[in-house]
């Protein structure tokens, strides 16, 4: 994909369609972040494709002035696999939600990540079914009271970061809708990554699940609970950097900084081939409650599905020559009847 | 046989297990003797197969001969058989099974459309061999995707189609069920997609390795919402090649998913295929575009006048960026629309688009004795059995004809006409009567099914017997008529006199029934107007001008449009114009009505005559009434077989 300096404005990426999310929805902020970020991407907009499934987030492609395919519930990663494998020159973006990606489409998500298909998957996690008006989702906390769980949900939620790491994802990151800088930073890295990039974005649903992420977005929570993961930097957090992450018996744990020597503080390395530490970091919280890591968990180089598939086709053509139908229909042997 | 093998190969220095591997050659030798086959070809084949292991080749040939000689010596069977060479038209042949034929047809379709082929599939019996075959031919720019499940296989194909590939997904019944929602997406987004369904016994896991034709209704109607799509069926292993090519042509030309039905019998059966001239295959057109289709920009649902297909603009094309999906779209712009009129229009348009294909496909052809009263109608893999049965009956002097559907939806334009030429319609199917239901519903014919679901195809002999039985039952009443001639004449007169007032009654009935058919005469009028309105809006020109443009391509509406231009008072003329279209339509309706009234009255008279004759017969002679009973019971017996 050629990257050329382009003078796009944010409005170049806005389609003529009226945006129809609820007023105050976190999706607006993400849309603005993405449209802004697209101007710096250096990719011509005709080479960008947004693919979505079903849900509030899935409306996203309609608002982007690029190519877009609003598909069916849960299947966006599979549809995007077809798009991406068919034309490796495209920049393919999947926009999905917690229900779409982790519930009905869980299978497609893990296999797209495993194959390392060249696509960027944005998973807007609002921990609720918004479009269907408020049922618990696979990321809703246990005990969550909703229309479909009036006595509280009895289900253990999924940890979206752990899931992706378990599925051999080569790029795993988390951001928060309100934090435009972090979102832009993560998306930039994702777009530059060759292969599948999986980005969870905590997104506030102000109608059905308001303030779900308050512990990470309120004035105090932001400072107290966000564990910012930055490659090559010591992982420390808190108002006065009083907390740190260290590795004990192979496991990431949160400690008071005063309790350990600075040399014992974990220095974040996104390029580690073994995903154990990244996985362990993902277990520091099982939802946006208390200290929670955000940023890039893992970014490793791995052959992409696109390249491998293309390589087989190219080398087959090189060895056998471009296929000829006359030869094909005779390939099993022929005989003459006179 | 084990003993025989060991004894025969004693002289060879081969380990015990290797010796027993030649057991099959003893069997082949014995069979060769039974069928009077010369061993030369088999010996050559063995020598070629084991050319690097001459000792093994020798051992196998020895085993083969031993089996043959064993047959001669002990005269194992009382009869031996000789099968003569089949007489085939001169030409170059290859041996092909349906899965390979189908795969090659897809490759040929992609090649002739100048597109890359994308095949998304999940392993399933008996369709997996298509995936195996296609994955060998990457040098034809074939990309095979073994998906995580059936849904992903179809979904990835939809993505590939959006990207401008010839997209195909293949499966068998259970997989088709899983793909249903995704096919609806392709249908709604109007993207070309070939869906291969190699049918097997169902429901559920059913009989995975046995043939059945029980997915016809599912192919026709197995989607939520109003979702018609073309259905094509392969009738033999070699025909699978052409059926796949045809499915490709229609998908690309009309921007629609197409279901291509094969079944286990076609898929795994082999036959000699006289190779076609590749050059004789037509180049396939597509709706690919790189240009604006209106002055203001690109409208993704701006349709072609002839085919009603929308343009196919693919990612990577500057300026044609657009969004499509499964939500209802406004015609023209493709923007999401919940407008009620628009949904009605789009539903009608999607249906019309498919119905319109009826005049762009091969018409039904008749085989056998066309002067017959009886037509045997088939689709898919019953072709060989039906054709042979009918030909055998003909050579026995029994009058019967046959016809075979490759296109099951839409039916070819001449279907109604062909069916109406015959009094009796027989439909053999490996299901409980699915095509029968479709033809009864659509053409109001009293189709009689020959149905079975035993996991086996029909044999020609089986069909021959059943068809013959049915034909006898049809004619049993009329054969007794000649002896009653004077009585009949009398009765006919009576009945005709009685029935005269009924003619009017029937006329009314028929007219009432025919009325909705007026629309079928040309493209539905409201679709023309609506389509013109959308185009006019997009181009910012008057509707009249668009109608004029359209008339150039659609002779059916030439006249009304010409009038609009002469008299720009749109409202009034449009009424006149409507009347004129209706007038034309009515003429042809009147013809049809007359025909049908005559037919129906005649039928009634015949029925009544038959009844009265039967009554009189009973009174006339006890002996004859006995014969009649025998014949009636024969008829019933055959009918229970249905």
């Amino acid at each position: 994909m050629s990257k050329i300096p382009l003078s796009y404005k944010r409005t170049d990426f806005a389609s003529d369609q009226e945006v129809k999310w609820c007023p105050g929805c976190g999706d607006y902020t993400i849309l603005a972040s993405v449209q802004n970020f697209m101007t710096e991407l250096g990719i011509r907009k005709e080479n960008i494709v947004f693919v979505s499934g079903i849900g509030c987030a899935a409306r996203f492609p309609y608002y982007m002035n690029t190519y877009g395919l609003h598909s069916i519930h849960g299947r966006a990663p599979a549809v995007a696999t077809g798009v991406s494998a068919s034309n490796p020159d495209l920049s393919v973006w999947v926009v999905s939600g917690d229900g779409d990606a982790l519930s009905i489409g869980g299978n497609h998500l893990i296999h797209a990540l495993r194959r390392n298909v060249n696509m960027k998957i944005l998973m807007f996690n609002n921990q609720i079914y918004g479009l269907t008006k408020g049922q618990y989702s696979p990321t809703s906390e246990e005990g969550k009271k909703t229309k479909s769980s009036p006595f509280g949900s009895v289900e253990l939620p999924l940890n979206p970061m752990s899931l992706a790491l378990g599925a051999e994802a080569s790029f795993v990151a988390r951001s928060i809708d309100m934090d435009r800088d972090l979102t832009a930073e993560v998306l930039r890295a994702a777009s530059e990554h060759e292969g599948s990039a999986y980005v969870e974005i905590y997104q506030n649903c102000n109608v059905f699940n308001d303030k779900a992420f308050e512990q990470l977005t309120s004035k105090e929570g932001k400072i107290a609970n966000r564990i910012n993961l930055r490659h090559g930097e010591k992982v420390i957090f808190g108002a006065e950097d009083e907390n740190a992450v260290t590795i004990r018996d192979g496991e990431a744990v949160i400690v008071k900084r005063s309790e350990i020597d600075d040399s014992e503080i974990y220095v974040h390395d996104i390029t580690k081939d073994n995903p154990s530490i990244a996985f362990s970091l993902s277990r520091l919280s099982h939802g946006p409650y208390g200290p929670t890591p955000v940023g890039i968990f893992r970014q490793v180089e791995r052959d992409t599905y696109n390249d491998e598939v293309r390589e087989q086709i190219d080398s087959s053509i090189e060895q056998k020559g471009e296929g000829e139908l006359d030869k094909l229909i005779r390939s099993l042997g022929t005989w003459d009847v006179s | 046989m084990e003993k025989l093998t060991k004894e025969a190969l004693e002289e060879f220095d081969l380990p015990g297990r290797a010796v027993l591997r030649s057991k099959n050659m003893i069997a082949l030798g014995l069979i060769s003797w039974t069928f009077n086959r010369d061993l030369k070809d088999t010996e050559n084949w063995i020598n070629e197969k084991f050319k690097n292991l001459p000792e093994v080749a020798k051992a196998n040939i020895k085993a083969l001969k031993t089996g043959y000689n064993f047959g001669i010596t002990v005269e194992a069977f009382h009869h031996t058989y000789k099968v003569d060479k089949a007489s085939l038209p001169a030409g170059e042949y290859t041996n092909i099974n349906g899965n390979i034929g189908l795969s090659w047809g897809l490759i040929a379709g992609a090649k002739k459309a100048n597109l890359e082929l994308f095949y998304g599939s999940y392993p399933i019996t008996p369709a997996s061999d298509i995936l195996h075959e296609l994955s060998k031919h990457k040098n034809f720019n074939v990309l095979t995707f073994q998906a995580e499940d059936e849904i992903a296989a179809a979904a990835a194909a939809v993505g590939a189609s959006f990207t401008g590939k010839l997209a195909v997904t293949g499966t068998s019944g259970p997989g088709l069920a899983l793909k249903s929602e995704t096919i609806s997406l392709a249908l709604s987004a109007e993207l070309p997609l070939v869906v291969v369904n190699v049918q097997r016994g169902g429901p559920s896991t059913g009989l995975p390795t046995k043939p059945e034709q029980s997915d016809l209704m599912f192919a026709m109607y197995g989607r939520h919402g109003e979702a018609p799509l073309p259905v094509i069926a392969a009738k033999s292993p070699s025909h699978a090649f052409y059926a796949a090519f045809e499915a490709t042509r229609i998908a690309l030309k009309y921007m629609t998913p197409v279901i291509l039905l094969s079944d286990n019998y076609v898929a795994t059966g082999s036959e000699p295929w006289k190779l076609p001239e590749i050059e004789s295959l037509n180049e396939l057109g597509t709706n690919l575009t790189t240009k604006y289709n209106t002055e203001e920009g690109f409208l993704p649902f701006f349709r072609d006048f002839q085919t009603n297909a929308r343009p196919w603009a693919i990612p990577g094309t500057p300026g044609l960026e657009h969004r499509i999906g499964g939500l209802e779209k406004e015609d023209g712009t493709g923007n999401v629309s919940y407008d009620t009129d628009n949904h009605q229009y789009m539903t009608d348009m999607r249906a019309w688009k498919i119905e319109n294909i009826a005049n762009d496909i091969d018409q039904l052809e008749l085989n056998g004795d066309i002067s017959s009263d009886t037509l045997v109608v088939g689709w898919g893999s019953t072709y060989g059995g039906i054709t042979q049965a009918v030909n055998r009956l003909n050579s026995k002097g029994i009058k019967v004809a046959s016809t075979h559907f490759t296109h099951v939806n839409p039916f070819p334009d001449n279907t109604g006409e062909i069916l109406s030429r015959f009094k009796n319609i027989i439909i053999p199917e490996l299901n409980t009567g699915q095509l029968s239901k479709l033809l009864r519903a659509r053409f109001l014919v009293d189709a009689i099914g020959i149905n079975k679901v035993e996991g086996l195809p029909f044999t020609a002999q089986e069909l021959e017997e059943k068809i013959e039985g049915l034909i006898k039952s049809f004619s049993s009443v009329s054969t007794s008529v000649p002896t009653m001639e004077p009585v009949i004449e009398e009765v006919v007169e009576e009945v005709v006199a009685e029935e005269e007032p009924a003619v009017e009654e029937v006329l009314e009935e028929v007219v009432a029934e025919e009325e909705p058919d007026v629309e079928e005469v040309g493209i539905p009028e409201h679709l023309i107007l609506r389509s013109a309105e959308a185009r006019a809006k997009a181009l910012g020109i008057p509707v009249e001008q668009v109608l004029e443009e359209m008339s150039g391509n659609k002779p059916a509406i030439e006249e009304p449009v010409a009038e609009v231009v002469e008299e720009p008072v749109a409202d009034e003329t449009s009424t006149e114009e409507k009347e004129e279209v209706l007038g034309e339509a009515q003429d042809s309706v009147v013809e049809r009505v007359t025909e049908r009234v005559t037919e129906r009255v005649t039928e009634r008279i015949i029925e009544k005559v038959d009844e009265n004759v039967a009554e009189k017969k009973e009174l006339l002679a006890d002996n004859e009434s006995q014969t009649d009973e025998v014949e009636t019971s024969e008829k019933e017996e055959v009918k229970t077989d249905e």
Side-chain angles (χ1 to χ4, degrees), chain A residues 17 46 59 61 65-68 70 75 78 82 107-108 115 305 312 316 321-324 326 330 333-335 337, chain B residues 90-94 111 138-141 145 148-149 151 156 160 278 314 316-317 321-325 335 338:
Chain A
Q17 295 298 292
E46 66 265 21
R59 286 281 185 139
N65 191 18
T66 62
Y67 282 92
H70 178 214
R75 319 301 167 205
N107 199 28
H108 309 307
R115 292 190 185 103
Y305 181 81
Q312 286 191 351
S316 175
E322 187 94 32
E324 286 171 40
D326 277 313
R330 286 169 180 82
T334 64
W335 72 88
V337 173
Chain B
E92 190 184 11
Y93 283 79
T94 192
K111 194 91 177 162
K138 297 194 194 303
N139 62 323
F140 281 84
N141 273 304
F145 172 59
E148 59 270 22
D149 61 31
I151 302 174
I278 290 299
I314 59 172
T317 316
E321 294 87 4
H322 65 279
R323 279 67 52 192
I324 56 169
N335 289 334
Y338 294 158

Side-chain angles (χ1 to χ4, degrees), chain A residues 13-196:
Chain A
F13 285 98
S15 77
D16 59 353
Q17 295 298 292
E18 188 191 339
V19 184
K20 285 182 177 165
W21 288 310
C22 306
C25 176
D27 287 353
Y28 283 97
T29 333
I30 305 175
L31 179 64
S33 301
V34 171
Q35 285 170 344
N36 251 329
F37 153 74
M38 286 283 152
T39 61
E40 330 162 353
L41 202 56
I43 299 174
R44 299 192 59 90
K45 62 181 183 173
E46 66 265 21
N47 290 327
I48 299 171
V49 184
F50 274 82
V51 181
S52 65
I54 295 294
C56 293
R59 286 281 185 139
F60 206 91
Y62 287 120
Y63 309 137
M64 295 296 299
N65 191 18
T66 62
Y67 282 92
L69 185 50
H70 178 214
S71 74
I72 43 178
H73 208 6
R75 319 301 167 205
V79 173
T81 298
V83 173
S84 181
S86 293
N87 186 348
D89 291 335
L90 300 174
S91 172
V92 182
W93 296 75
V94 170
V95 182
S96 187
D98 41 320
D100 195 52
L102 303 178
S103 193
I104 192 167
N107 199 28
H108 309 307
L109 176 73
I110 58 175
H111 289 282
L113 295 177
R114 166 179 76 84
R115 292 190 185 103
N116 208 28
V117 184
N118 212 346
M119 66 171 86
K120 321 303 158 201
I121 303 169
L122 311 185
M123 197 276 284
F124 298 2
N125 181 7
N126 55 14
Q127 308 197 143
I128 197 81
Y129 282 95
L131 195 68
T132 50
K133 315 288 176 253
Q135 299 82 12
Y136 67 97
S137 91
T139 52
S140 296
E141 66 275 20
E142 266 185 290
K144 178 92 179 165
K145 286 191 177 167
T146 69
K147 283 177 186 162
S148 59
S149 56
F151 303 103
S153 160
V154 296
E155 298 177 19
L156 180 74
L158 269 175
N159 182 322
M161 296 288 97
S162 304
L163 177 80
L165 289 161
E168 308 290 349
S170 58
F171 183 103
V172 180
R174 172 185 282 149
S175 183
I176 302 170
D177 57 357
M178 303 294 284
D179 193 335
R180 287 190 186 210
D181 290 343
L182 178 61
T183 303
E185 185 189 317
V186 165
L187 291 186
R188 199 171 299 118
S191 78
E192 281 162 12
H193 178 70
E194 296 282 332
S196 299

